[in-house]
Amino acid sequence: PNNQRFSSFLFTVPNNMGPRTRSSTPKKEALAETATQSSTKKRRTRSLSQGDKSVDASPLTSSKKNKPMKLNLLSKKSNNRKAANPNAVTAKSPPTQPSSPSVDLLVHRLRYLRHIPSAILCIKPSPTTGKKNGNPRDTYVAISRQGGSIELRSARQKFRILTTVAGWSSAAIHTMAWAHHRLLVGATPDGSLVLIDFQRGHFRNVTPSGGGQIHALDSFASHNGDVDYPTLVAAACEDGSVRFFDVDVQREADMNMPMPVISTIPTTGAPILSLALNRFGAVSKEKSSASPLVGATAFVGVADGTIRRYDCVQGSSWRSILRITVENMGRTIPTRVWVLKSLQDGTLVSGDSLGHVQMWDGHSGTLEATFNQNEVKADVLSLDLTRDENKVFASGVDSRVICIERSGTVTEDRKWIFANAQRPHTHDVQAIAVCYRSRKKGSGGSEILCTGGIDTKLCTFAVNDFQRQRPHTLFPWPLRSPIVIAPERRVISIMRKDSIQIYSLAPRPDASLESRLQVTESETLLGTVEIDSPFNLSVSTISADGKYLVVGNPSSLLLFHLTYKSDQGSSKAQIRPERLPFKLPSQATIVAAKFLRNDRLVLCSADRDVLIVTIGEGEKKVPQVSIQSAIPFALDDTDAPSMLPHDEFACSTDGKWFSIMRTSSEKGSVQVFKDIDGTFVHWWSIPELDDPPAVAAFLHTDHPQLVVVCASFAPYVFDLEERSLSTWSKGISFPVGESLPLSLSNRKDFPVRIAVNPAAPTQFFVVSLLVDDSQNSPMQGQLFRDV
């Protein structure tokens, strides 16, 4: 998109680290912020068709000796100091300025990546535990997309992707419900109910509904964190019935056991399109122990144009209490009620196929208010409400997002009024959800509105400022890059949903940056490795020499030996993959893979075990694969979704160190491993930081140093030999996040990559993806420097 920008930040770490210390507590020194005019930076960029070569000249200042280290940010906010204070005296610049060092970058632009994002089908925030007026926990937002993948994002980390479930290529999850704060249930188009396992990255406990396709799911846990009752999920089925499934978390050990049906509402004679559960009154412990459904109420929207209410009165028997016929406005077909929401005061909110958002009295069936979401009678597909149930947001086929609210206390006669509307999307809005984000310190928090649909992007709004605030847009870039480079062979592998494509890079350019190099796509494609499996691919990596390719999905892991051959009379090489025999330990699901060397592979399983795999020559020069060692490690993990895996690798250039990282909304985890006499051992667990880690990388220094950048852009450098912070980090006040410049800590984006400068071992770039709707600048660079 034209309104998308990549931001890069350059950090410089002194190579002379000075005397080492074993103290793990950093010195608390002041972090000074200086701002200089970034618009005067000299930048020259040359864009070429293939093999682009760009030069970015940025001012760098060498650090002076015997002075505390400071982290500086070049910000645009300091451009008009004199305009802000006309009486200020500004020192004149010296007539001559020393030349600033520059960073020369050779850019190879790939125009044939063709990353095609998928539409958003459903958005479900995790339930917030605690009382309605208490302080709830941060919410995790699950987003299902067309094609089967499901993302788990953190509301506190600026909606950064924590992990992804690749899913099934032929079964997209179109509706979901949280049965617990870390247990998510989804429904596939073929009428199956599945548990979405974020730890292993796939679906388990697949259970047929018994009533055909499932149109809607709901649970008691989804309503203000009601977890006092067993984890029950209700499914609205094609045969007109509602089935209640028990998805007790104690059954997690058996992945093949189906979820039992404990209750069923008899068929209505037509498919049920929407569903809303509630529990209006308190239930005694004696009755709730006899049946967890006693006192429950279910509102269903039936395809015959009616809304019906059922109450569970005794045991698991349901009684029909109310039937509402929705006006069809003269049409010959009944009005479809696509979505229902039930409020605690008895109000029922519906969105239908006539473009209406209507408020009903859930006790008497009286229509209280009607609002037009659009003027062309386009269907309302999704709606949600705030925690205090005073605001309703709705949208659908017409991408207009409206806000309906009411004021006053419960005892007053409160009326619903149309408040505001925005149009952040270009196509149908299929999902709307309101999630909660707590403050970093202190009590309280804020609610965030999330919208998504066919245009694939996720838009977020501050609920309290919906009328004036423009949406923050997040485009669907993958959690990990699908591209892996083999620098020795100069080939790259691109992971698709069901195949791996191998492309060759252009030959190494000469020393001159002025030379122009063009390579056509047809000459670069070496071949495609197709995987016949119902699961989408989730793991892919290639060795540096391009000989070995690893491909994996939730059910299996495949290792290929690639042979490069050229046809007679043609200079174009072709790959010939040969599968190598390789067997994993029983029930081991691989979530990440990385080549440390050409003959050594490290795998990370979902059960927190690290496998070291060696590849050597066997008989008749056939590669032989064997598992050298399995390294278990225990964690003191109290995070809410403790089932998130370690799925982010970083390794040193010599292949003797590597780290694995798991991100979460509360603290995360970074584990470091070291090669001792040819055997890897668990070396160190990085202490908990002020914010969850986002990215990590090894510096190209004489002794091992690991850079960890948090989601708030706070950088930390660790001396691994001493198991402590490095001298550079000790020269900055701790925690770094509290002393970061506001222009950095208040950014709406988050780190996505770390690039270490091979020409300067003490420099590393932190890259982020920023979307700014007010400008069309394709790239933005900001510089951090050590002074």
Side-chain angles (χ1 to χ4, degrees), residues 378-397:
D379 299 48
V380 176
L381 302 178
S382 181
L383 62 86
D384 203 0
L385 40 91
T386 57
R387 186 175 176 81
D388 58 6
E389 298 182 347
N390 288 330
K391 290 184 179 180
V392 175
F393 298 92
S395 187
V397 173

Side-chain angles (χ1 to χ4, degrees), residues 600-651:
R600 180 173 288 182
L601 173 68
V602 57
L603 306 174
C604 187
S605 69
D607 298 325
R608 297 174 179 171
D609 290 337
V610 175
L611 305 177
I612 306 299
V613 180
T614 58
I615 305 174
E617 289 190 1
E619 298 179 357
K620 298 181 181 180
K621 296 183 179 181
V622 177
Q624 184 176 4
V625 185
S626 61
I627 298 178
Q628 181 184 19
S629 61
I631 313 172
F633 60 96
L635 295 176
D636 182 15
D637 197 350
T638 57
D639 194 7
S642 59
M643 309 305 286
L644 293 185
H646 289 75
D647 56 2
E648 188 72 22
F649 270 113
C651 64

Side-chain angles (χ1 to χ4, degrees), residues 488-771:
E488 298 178 9
R489 186 75 190 189
R490 293 192 63 78
V491 299
I492 62 173
S493 66
I494 302 179
M495 182 177 67
R496 308 296 184 180
K497 290 185 177 181
D498 57 352
S499 63
I500 302 294
Q501 294 178 337
I502 307 296
Y503 288 89
S504 63
L505 293 176
R508 294 185 182 275
D510 54 15
S512 174
L513 293 177
E514 303 296 335
S515 61
R516 184 182 182 88
L517 183 63
Q518 295 183 357
V519 180
T520 60
E521 176 186 356
S522 59
E523 297 179 358
T524 60
L525 180 61
L526 302 181
T528 302
V529 180
E530 296 184 354
I531 309 299
D532 186 10
S533 173
F535 299 95
N536 292 328
L537 298 182
S538 58
V539 177
S540 174
T541 187
I542 191 172
S543 60
D545 57 3
K547 289 184 179 180
Y548 302 106
L549 174 67
V550 175
V551 183
N553 56 35
S555 63
S556 61
L557 186 75
L558 307 178
L559 179 60
F560 294 93
H561 177 255
L562 302 181
T563 304
Y564 298 82
K565 294 185 178 181
S566 299
D567 296 335
Q568 294 182 357
S570 174
S571 60
K572 180 182 176 181
Q574 297 288 335
I575 61 168
R576 296 183 180 180
E578 178 185 358
R579 183 177 175 182
L580 300 179
F582 176 58
K583 186 177 182 180
L584 289 171
S586 60
Q587 298 181 352
T589 302
I590 303 302
V591 295
K594 181 78 172 180
F595 276 97
L596 301 179
R597 298 195 310 246
N598 292 329
D599 59 348
R600 180 173 288 182
L601 173 68
V602 57
L603 306 174
C604 187
S605 69
D607 298 325
R608 297 174 179 171
D609 290 337
V610 175
L611 305 177
I612 306 299
V613 180
T614 58
I615 305 174
E617 289 190 1
E619 298 179 357
K620 298 181 181 180
K621 296 183 179 181
V622 177
Q624 184 176 4
V625 185
S626 61
I627 298 178
Q628 181 184 19
S629 61
I631 313 172
F633 60 96
L635 295 176
D636 182 15
D637 197 350
T638 57
D639 194 7
S642 59
M643 309 305 286
L644 293 185
H646 289 75
D647 56 2
E648 188 72 22
F649 270 113
C651 64
S652 59
T653 55
D654 58 4
K656 295 183 178 180
W657 295 82
F658 71 89
S659 67
I660 58 175
M661 183 176 65
R662 176 179 63 83
T663 59
S664 68
S665 182
E666 296 189 5
K667 63 179 183 179
S669 170
V670 180
Q671 309 295 324
V672 181
F673 299 83
K674 180 183 179 181
D675 185 359
I676 300 179
D677 298 332
T679 303
F680 276 96
V681 296
H682 181 247
W683 179 256
W684 189 31
S685 296
I686 299 297
E688 180 181 348
L689 303 176
D690 54 333
D691 282 299
V695 287
F698 281 85
L699 291 180
H700 300 161
T701 52
D702 298 335
H703 54 280
Q705 296 184 77
L706 180 67
V707 178
V708 178
V709 180
C710 300
S712 61
F713 288 96
Y716 293 91
V717 180
F718 296 94
D719 189 337
L720 299 182
E721 290 287 358
E722 300 296 330
R723 294 188 177 98
S724 66
L725 287 174
S726 67
T727 306
W728 183 78
S729 289
K730 292 178 181 179
I732 304 174
S733 60
F734 185 87
V736 179
E738 297 180 358
S739 303
L740 283 177
L742 293 179
S743 58
L744 182 62
S745 59
N746 291 342
R747 292 174 64 92
K748 292 183 178 181
D749 56 345
F750 44 81
V752 294
R753 298 288 185 273
I754 292 182
V756 181
N757 187 0
T762 60
Q763 294 180 354
F764 62 93
F765 292 86
V766 178
V767 183
S768 65
L769 177 64
L770 176 65
V771 176

